[in-house]
Amino acid sequence: MKNLLFVLICLVAFTTISGQSKKDIANVYIKRSEESLGNLEIEESLDHFNKAMKYIDTITSHRVARLGTYIHFELDRFKEAQVYAKQYFLLAKNKKSEEYQDFLELFVNINEEIETLEQKEKQLALARLQKEKELRKIDSLKTVWRNKSEALSLKLDSIYTFNKDNLALFEAKGFFGVMSDRGEILVKADTYQDALHFDGFFILKNTKEAPTKIFAYINSSHSGYMLPSPSEFNALSTHYGKVMLPRGNGRLVTYPNNSYKPMVYDLNARKFVKVANEEELLKDLKRNDVIDKSNKDGEVKIAKEWYRFGGHLGGGIHPLYLPNQYKVNSFLCSIDGSVLNANSTYQNIGFFYNNKSQAVKGNKTIWINQNGTKVTAPKDESGKYTGNSKVVKLENGKYQIMQGQFIVLGGEKLEKQVDFLRSHK
């Protein structure tokens, strides 16, 4: 029992001494803090004050509360200063003292500063909300613009140069089509694997070699149609064979299989072109010593060789075939009687127009005059584009057509993103 009483006495004594020691240490730091504050060493004063607070569990002195208030006020820590000020008012006894009145004035200043800060914070918060709202609206508008932009995009492999009639060939998945300079698809790219364009016409073929279908598009009228089947030209023909470039006079020449004549077609009149009176033509050629003989079977004799007469390609150029052979053997140039052997010169010749004909030698195109002499290439009458459409290839591989500041597709248009956002603010 005596031992227990001794332990309790020791414990109370230790607690009293420890508590007294903390209070003394705190007072030392409080005094240092007051001195630093008096010397306007505010940061140092705060450091001493914080050290003192480590030894104080609860502020019981209005002196300490007052000190904490002034330090934090000087450092513009108004909310912390307010907390210490409220503690001061709880601990201060003499409310009529000059110190109390001065402190009351300080408290009012602290509250005003806090109100000002809170007002600024409200304004900043409101500005942030407004900015966030604006950003959300911009993000939403960007999404709207991207969706519209995507809808005005063309998923194509390539777009060729527009011509004077505001038209161009385009290619998609290995097929060719025709489009306007506003992106309108005039001929779908789903049938024709090859295309020719010259002198204001597009010729679309279902296969590159020996096509069985040809679609002709007339640029000036913005219209097109299917050519008659090769069998309508010649009952034995199953394909058009070699297809030459269309010419400005509307003539298109092809070399169908199983035929002793090239097919000459008038693209404007939509009809086959044949010699009006072949018998009279052959008589004229004989009278002019261009051929030696002719017979009722449409055969002509030249330099002891009989040929099947293949009609007229314009400019006095006539294809010649050997009997029982459907391949062109040579071309007769009636202007001077010369004969161009197909094996050594040109395998195919197109229609004569504007003093020139297209000739094919191997895989090369050569332009010739009426007697087969090579000349300069003619100017393509399709003409130079003068519109304001520009083809733009996007990073995703798609195409868009720009007209000034707008993306266009048919009758639809969309301004550039920056203008779209500005106009929808």
Side-chain angles (χ1 to χ4, degrees):
M1 186 66 179
K2 290 181 179 180
N3 290 337
L4 178 60
L5 181 60
F6 177 76
V7 170
L8 289 174
I9 292 171
C10 289
L11 180 61
V12 171
F14 175 79
T15 302
T16 301
I17 294 171
S18 177
Q20 186 65 41
S21 176
K22 285 184 178 181
K23 184 178 180 181
D24 292 340
I25 294 173
N27 284 334
V28 171
Y29 282 118
I30 290 297
K31 185 177 181 181
R32 290 181 180 178
S33 180
E34 289 174 333
E35 290 176 355
S36 296
L37 181 62
N39 294 327
L40 301 178
E41 298 168 344
I42 311 301
E43 292 290 347
E44 186 175 338
S45 177
L46 176 64
D47 183 56
H48 293 313
F49 183 82
N50 287 337
K51 289 178 180 179
M53 295 307 295
K54 291 180 182 180
Y55 296 96
I56 299 175
D57 297 326
T58 303
I59 296 176
T60 58
S61 169
H62 74 280
R63 170 192 170 200
V64 175
R66 180 175 177 274
L67 177 61
T69 302
Y70 274 104
I71 292 172
H72 287 89
F73 179 79
E74 293 296 332
L75 292 173
D76 293 338
R77 298 178 179 181
F78 302 115
K79 289 187 178 181
E80 291 88 342
Q82 188 184 58
V83 171
Y84 286 109
K86 288 179 179 179
Q87 289 178 312
Y88 172 85
F89 289 123
L90 291 174
L91 297 171
K93 301 300 182 182
N94 187 0
K95 297 183 179 181
K96 294 184 178 181
S97 67
E98 184 178 350
E99 176 190 286
Y100 188 92
Q101 295 302 316
D102 291 341
F103 198 83
L104 187 61
E105 181 72 23
L106 175 63
F107 185 66
V108 171
N109 292 339
I110 291 171
N111 290 338
E112 289 177 347
E113 292 288 352
I114 289 175
E115 288 177 3
T116 300
L117 286 176
E118 289 177 345
Q119 185 63 30
K120 288 182 178 179
E121 287 176 358
K122 286 181 180 179
Q123 291 175 350
L124 290 173
L126 184 62
R128 282 196 299 271
L129 289 174
Q130 188 66 28
K131 185 66 175 178
E132 289 172 2
K133 182 179 179 181
E134 183 179 344
L135 290 174
R136 285 196 297 271
K137 181 180 179 181
I138 290 174
D139 287 341
S140 178
L141 287 173
K142 283 182 178 180
T143 299
V144 171
W145 185 89
R146 283 193 294 267
N147 291 337
K148 287 187 176 182
S149 176
E150 176 66 21
L152 300 183
S153 300
L154 296 165
K155 191 176 182 180
L156 307 174
D157 296 334
S158 59
I159 299 176
Y160 291 72
T161 304
F162 292 113
N163 58 33
K164 69 177 181 181
D165 295 303
N166 306 330
L167 301 172
L169 288 172
F170 71 92
E171 191 173 358
K173 296 181 179 179
F175 293 94
F176 286 84
V178 178
M179 68 187 299
S180 74
D181 67 343
R182 292 187 65 89
E184 298 167 297
I185 304 303
L186 305 175
V187 180
K188 291 182 178 179
D190 57 6
T191 303
Y192 308 104
Q193 297 181 6
D194 191 42
L196 303 172
H197 57 97
F198 201 72
D199 276 357
F201 297 91
F202 293 126
I203 303 298
L204 289 83
K205 307 181 292 177
N206 65 327
T207 57
K208 186 175 180 64
E209 305 294 337
T212 58
K213 294 180 180 179
I214 291 180
F215 187 90
Y217 196 91
I218 304 172
N219 295 348
S220 59
S221 64
H222 285 223
S223 61
Y225 59 92
M226 293 290 299
L227 262 64
S229 167
S231 62
E232 293 186 37
F233 171 74
N234 176 58
L236 298 179
S237 297
T238 58
H239 60 73
Y240 292 100
K242 180 66 178 178
V243 181
M244 307 302 287
L245 291 175
R247 299 308 310 276
N249 57 1
R251 298 294 198 267
L252 175 70
V253 176
T254 78
Y255 288 80
N257 65 325
N258 302 324
S259 175
Y260 289 118
K261 290 184 178 181
M263 185 187 96
V264 180
Y265 195 79
D266 189 325
L267 297 171
N268 293 319
R270 301 192 183 190
K271 66 179 182 179
F272 296 111
V273 178
K274 297 181 179 179
V275 176
N277 191 329
E278 187 171 295
E279 185 177 347
E280 284 300 318
L281 173 61
L282 295 179
K283 287 181 180 179
D284 286 341
L285 292 176
K286 186 176 183 304
R287 279 195 294 269
N288 294 324
D289 295 326
V290 176
I291 63 174
D292 298 327
K293 290 183 180 180
S294 65
N295 60 31
K296 61 181 181 179
D297 294 325
E299 295 178 333
V300 296
K301 187 178 183 181
I302 303 173
K304 301 181 181 181
E305 185 75 51
W306 282 94
Y307 300 94
R308 283 185 174 271
F309 188 73
H312 191 197
L313 298 177
I317 301 174
H318 307 280
L320 301 176
Y321 294 75
L322 289 176
N324 302 318
Q325 291 185 19
Y326 293 116
K327 182 180 179 181
V328 178
N329 175 267
S330 51
F331 295 92
L332 172 63
C333 300
S334 60
I335 190 172
D336 60 4
S338 60
V339 176
L340 308 175
N341 187 286
N343 291 325
S344 57
T345 57
Y346 314 116
Q347 288 76 60
N348 302 100
I349 295 178
F351 205 85
F352 188 80
Y353 168 72
N354 201 17
N355 297 317
K356 297 178 183 183
S357 293
Q358 178 203 11
V360 173
K361 185 175 184 179
N363 294 322
K364 294 182 179 180
T365 283
I366 297 168
W367 293 92
I368 60 173
N369 63 14
Q370 287 175 272
N371 64 7
T373 302
K374 183 178 178 181
V375 294
T376 58
K379 184 178 180 181
D380 187 350
E381 293 185 6
S382 297
K384 187 176 181 181
Y385 179 65
T386 58
N388 64 341
S389 289
K390 293 182 179 180
V391 176
V392 178
K393 189 171 185 179
L394 307 178
E395 291 183 1
N396 61 10
K398 294 183 179 181
Y399 288 88
Q400 286 183 336
I401 295 177
M402 299 293 302
Q403 286 191 349
Q405 299 300 310
F406 291 90
I407 303 168
V408 300
L409 185 62
E412 300 292 323
K413 68 178 183 178
L414 174 68
E415 60 262 55
K416 289 183 177 180
Q417 188 181 77
V418 62
D419 297 326
F420 179 83
L421 295 177
R422 188 182 297 114
S423 64
H424 287 78
K425 279 187 176 181

